[in-house]
Amino acid sequence: QKSELTQSQTEKQKVESLVEQTKASLEERTIAWQEMRKARDEMDRQLAEALSTREQFKLQLETVHENLAVNTDEVTLTKQQLDESKKQFQELNQTAQSKDVQLKDLQERLSKEQ
């Protein structure tokens, strides 16, 4: 009977020891899981921040491209205006030369008539 009691106490101690080990293991796993969750949340936060920064850069790049397109259009327009101004100047110059020739002709006629 003593032997059975001792054996029963030994088994009870083994079970209690296993229960304690299981509790300790569970606490370690819980702590590890919480740390993993914190790390994952931090990674998610950093990813969201990186995506936000990427989106901002993308918008800035689009703005730069739009400004470049506008500037290119303005340069093209300015070149067209310059070409048109040159053409008008040449036409005016030709008209002025023609008027000069007409004026000389008239001056020659007047001097001949006098």
Side-chain angles (χ1 to χ4, degrees), residues 25-42:
S25 176
L26 182 60
E27 286 176 13
E28 288 175 5
R29 287 183 184 180
T30 301
I31 291 170
W33 184 85
Q34 289 171 343
E35 289 174 357
M36 183 192 71
R37 185 68 193 164
K38 284 179 187 177
R40 182 169 180 209
D41 288 347
E42 178 62 17

Side-chain angles (χ1 to χ4, degrees), residues 17 47-48 52 61 68 92 111:
S17 175
L47 178 61
S52 173
L61 186 60
L68 182 60
L92 287 172
S111 25

Side-chain angles (χ1 to χ4, degrees), residues 1-12:
Q1 205 178 24
K2 235 181 186 186
S3 168
E4 288 179 17
L5 185 60
T6 306
Q7 189 179 6
S8 175
Q9 286 176 341
T10 304
E11 287 179 12
K12 183 179 176 185

Side-chain angles (χ1 to χ4, degrees), residues 82-93:
L82 180 61
D83 291 344
E84 183 64 29
S85 294
K86 283 181 183 177
K87 182 180 172 188
Q88 289 175 357
F89 177 75
Q90 288 172 347
E91 290 171 357
L92 287 172
N93 199 21

Side-chain angles (χ1 to χ4, degrees), residues 39-69:
R40 182 169 180 209
D41 288 347
E42 178 62 17
M43 287 172 39
D44 287 346
R45 185 193 66 75
Q46 289 176 356
L47 178 61
E49 186 177 308
L51 290 173
S52 173
T53 301
R54 178 178 176 256
E55 193 62 28
Q56 289 172 357
F57 284 144
K58 186 177 175 184
L59 290 174
Q60 289 173 353
L61 186 60
E62 287 175 6
T63 301
V64 167
H65 280 288
E66 288 170 6
N67 289 342
L68 182 60

